[in-house]
Amino acid sequence: MVVKHFCLQMEDSLKEITSHAVVSSWNEWDPLKHVIVGRASGTMIQASEPAVQNDWPQQGFPLGIFGPMPEQMEAKANEQLDNFAEILENRGIRVDRPVPLDFSQAIQTPDWNQDSMFGCMPPRDVLLTVGKEMLEATMSFRSRWFEYLCYRPLLEQYYKDDPNFRWESAPKPRLTERTYKQDFWQEWHSLSEEERWRHTENSDWIITETEPLFDAADVARFGHDLFVQKSMVTNDSGIEWLRRHYPGHRVHKVSYTDQLPWHIDATLIPLRPGLVLVNPERTALQKAHNVLFEKNGWELVEAPKSVRTEKMPLCTCSLWLNMNCLVLDPKTICIEAAETPMMELLDKYGFEVIPVPFFEVSPFGGGLHCATADVYREGSLEDYFPNQIDGV
Ligand code: ABU
């Protein structure tokens, strides 16, 4: 009798172990327990392609020249990434790292050839975790078409370990000439400021509506509500695809006064229920945007400017990376170590602020949020916007 009881108990605890959720994350603030942190190794100034025209003659990369990021820069970036991973691990968070490919290799599909890839520092661009699902984004640069492969060893493992993990991949885009507006960059460089703003108001950038396109980093997760930015890399069709893919969620299409928008995570940053960080230079183009937050009791806090006045060489991100933070739980947040005004602001709001040196990582694709992808946060799916309104 005793033996039978013991066996049943064993069975129960085994069931518990095997059904323990490895993957789950519904928002940007619940207690973080497991995360992916990117690597700088092998990152390239990618070869020109329709969507990307790097032109840095002063740094040895004039238009048309591509190649690996300088070795010393890569070493410093990896040092800061490793240090960040260690900070997280010391706080009891499990950290996984991607497996870099040879990004210097030329790649091809039946539709195109591309002379190089990019890298795997910013997993946030590629992987979108919503609940028990991780979704590989379509991406819209040819150089980033195969980037998901760096995360496959991890996703394969999560799939084995978690019987409830939903592993999804959005339709791989063709990225043919039809996906891009011809001569966009040439025209853009000849436009006046006023004409550029007109393009922005009309969300008129390089990608067409030929096929659904989105980067995962254009999505800000607030439980039931997903705010998705239309941008240089995310089109209407991509937002519609996300809407159909998440029928249990409300997908809000948003855009801001950002001339060449590229990812929402230096524009709209959820901090905790009721508190969202907003970019004072990027106001929402939808009048209903702020009303929706206010009607649901959210405070919109304007971010202070970065202490820096110059970006790192070879950096494609803006100085607003000071907003690109990682929330560890509703009371704890990682901020770039030099960004004192941001740290002081969040301290006033009751956060324990963890300073993380990260500026050297910026040329490799972003800040602390970009460099991570959620695997597991405690918490469940909640509705933080019970009062919906039209127009956003
Ligand atoms: N990938 C985040 C970059 C956003 C920005 O530079 O504004």
Side-chain angles (χ1 to χ4, degrees), residues 40 70-80 364:
E71 252 173 60
Q72 263 207 329
M73 285 178 72
E74 183 185 296
K76 281 186 187 165
N78 268 332
E79 202 177 296
Q80 293 197 332
F364 293 79

mmCIF file of all heavy atoms in Angstrom, residues 40 70-80 364:
data_model
loop_
_atom_site.group_PDB
_atom_site.id
_atom_site.type_symbol
_atom_site.label_atom_id
_atom_site.label_comp_id
_atom_site.label_asym_id
_atom_site.label_seq_id
_atom_site.Cartn_x
_atom_site.Cartn_y
_atom_site.Cartn_z
ATOM 1 N N ALA A 40 27.779 38.935 -30.788
ATOM 2 C CA ALA A 40 28.271 39.846 -31.825
ATOM 3 C C ALA A 40 29.138 39.125 -32.857
ATOM 4 O O ALA A 40 29.393 39.659 -33.944
ATOM 5 C CB ALA A 40 29.074 40.967 -31.170
ATOM 6 N N PRO A 70 34.961 45.517 -37.601
ATOM 7 C CA PRO A 70 36.340 45.477 -37.100
ATOM 8 C C PRO A 70 36.466 44.570 -35.865
ATOM 9 O O PRO A 70 35.607 44.599 -34.981
ATOM 10 C CB PRO A 70 36.618 46.939 -36.745
ATOM 11 C CG PRO A 70 35.683 47.711 -37.628
ATOM 12 C CD PRO A 70 34.460 46.866 -37.801
ATOM 13 N N GLU A 71 37.562 43.793 -35.861
ATOM 14 C CA GLU A 71 37.768 42.777 -34.815
ATOM 15 C C GLU A 71 37.672 43.320 -33.400
ATOM 16 O O GLU A 71 37.039 42.726 -32.527
ATOM 17 C CB GLU A 71 39.163 42.168 -34.982
ATOM 18 C CG GLU A 71 39.143 40.752 -35.512
ATOM 19 C CD GLU A 71 40.548 40.261 -35.823
ATOM 20 O OE1 GLU A 71 41.384 40.222 -34.911
ATOM 21 O OE2 GLU A 71 40.788 39.935 -37.010
ATOM 22 N N GLN A 72 38.305 44.510 -33.205
ATOM 23 C CA GLN A 72 38.330 45.082 -31.849
ATOM 24 C C GLN A 72 36.934 45.467 -31.374
ATOM 25 O O GLN A 72 36.584 45.302 -30.212
ATOM 26 C CB GLN A 72 39.209 46.327 -31.857
ATOM 27 C CG GLN A 72 40.594 46.068 -31.386
ATOM 28 C CD GLN A 72 41.184 47.333 -30.795
ATOM 29 O OE1 GLN A 72 40.839 48.439 -31.240
ATOM 30 N NE2 GLN A 72 42.053 47.189 -29.815
ATOM 31 N N MET A 73 36.151 45.994 -32.325
ATOM 32 C CA MET A 73 34.765 46.371 -31.978
ATOM 33 C C MET A 73 33.981 45.119 -31.597
ATOM 34 O O MET A 73 33.204 45.116 -30.649
ATOM 35 C CB MET A 73 34.085 47.081 -33.160
ATOM 36 C CG MET A 73 34.553 48.515 -33.360
ATOM 37 S SD MET A 73 33.772 49.297 -34.789
ATOM 38 C CE MET A 73 32.106 49.550 -34.217
ATOM 39 N N GLU A 74 34.195 44.064 -32.371
ATOM 40 C CA GLU A 74 33.470 42.818 -32.093
ATOM 41 C C GLU A 74 33.841 42.266 -30.708
ATOM 42 O O GLU A 74 32.972 41.848 -29.937
ATOM 43 C CB GLU A 74 33.790 41.786 -33.174
ATOM 44 C CG GLU A 74 33.025 40.499 -32.979
ATOM 45 C CD GLU A 74 33.416 39.426 -33.975
ATOM 46 O OE1 GLU A 74 33.190 39.626 -35.184
ATOM 47 O OE2 GLU A 74 33.934 38.378 -33.538
ATOM 48 N N ALA A 75 35.135 42.327 -30.386
ATOM 49 C CA ALA A 75 35.592 41.792 -29.089
ATOM 50 C C ALA A 75 34.959 42.581 -27.942
ATOM 51 O O ALA A 75 34.481 42.009 -26.959
ATOM 52 C CB ALA A 75 37.111 41.846 -29.014
ATOM 53 N N LYS A 76 34.929 43.934 -28.087
ATOM 54 C CA LYS A 76 34.354 44.755 -27.006
ATOM 55 C C LYS A 76 32.851 44.491 -26.872
ATOM 56 O O LYS A 76 32.315 44.447 -25.763
ATOM 57 C CB LYS A 76 34.590 46.238 -27.300
ATOM 58 C CG LYS A 76 36.000 46.686 -26.973
ATOM 59 C CD LYS A 76 36.113 48.178 -27.140
ATOM 60 C CE LYS A 76 37.550 48.621 -26.981
ATOM 61 N NZ LYS A 76 37.782 49.964 -27.475
ATOM 62 N N ALA A 77 32.174 44.348 -28.003
ATOM 63 C CA ALA A 77 30.729 44.091 -27.965
ATOM 64 C C ALA A 77 30.451 42.745 -27.298
ATOM 65 O O ALA A 77 29.563 42.624 -26.447
ATOM 66 C CB ALA A 77 30.150 44.125 -29.370
ATOM 67 N N ASN A 78 31.247 41.740 -27.651
ATOM 68 C CA ASN A 78 31.043 40.410 -27.036
ATOM 69 C C ASN A 78 31.305 40.451 -25.535
ATOM 70 O O ASN A 78 30.609 39.791 -24.756
ATOM 71 C CB ASN A 78 31.928 39.363 -27.710
ATOM 72 C CG ASN A 78 31.188 38.673 -28.849
ATOM 73 O OD1 ASN A 78 29.951 38.568 -28.841
ATOM 74 N ND2 ASN A 78 31.930 38.224 -29.846
ATOM 75 N N GLU A 79 32.292 41.260 -25.156
ATOM 76 C CA GLU A 79 32.597 41.392 -23.716
ATOM 77 C C GLU A 79 31.379 41.967 -22.984
ATOM 78 O O GLU A 79 30.984 41.477 -21.922
ATOM 79 C CB GLU A 79 33.782 42.337 -23.585
ATOM 80 C CG GLU A 79 34.566 42.214 -22.314
ATOM 81 C CD GLU A 79 35.760 43.171 -22.357
ATOM 82 O OE1 GLU A 79 36.652 42.992 -23.218
ATOM 83 O OE2 GLU A 79 35.753 44.109 -21.554
ATOM 84 N N GLN A 80 30.759 42.992 -23.579
ATOM 85 C CA GLN A 80 29.590 43.606 -22.915
ATOM 86 C C GLN A 80 28.387 42.661 -22.934
ATOM 87 O O GLN A 80 27.618 42.605 -21.975
ATOM 88 C CB GLN A 80 29.242 44.948 -23.582
ATOM 89 C CG GLN A 80 30.330 45.994 -23.355
ATOM 90 C CD GLN A 80 29.887 47.422 -23.609
ATOM 91 O OE1 GLN A 80 28.989 47.678 -24.408
ATOM 92 N NE2 GLN A 80 30.536 48.362 -22.938
ATOM 93 N N PHE A 364 26.133 46.662 -33.466
ATOM 94 C CA PHE A 364 25.830 45.276 -33.843
ATOM 95 C C PHE A 364 24.324 45.015 -33.900
ATOM 96 O O PHE A 364 23.888 43.891 -34.088
ATOM 97 C CB PHE A 364 26.539 44.309 -32.878
ATOM 98 C CG PHE A 364 28.038 44.383 -33.030
ATOM 99 C CD1 PHE A 364 28.759 45.418 -32.444
ATOM 100 C CD2 PHE A 364 28.707 43.459 -33.808
ATOM 101 C CE1 PHE A 364 30.134 45.513 -32.616
ATOM 102 C CE2 PHE A 364 30.082 43.547 -33.990
ATOM 103 C CZ PHE A 364 30.794 44.585 -33.393
#
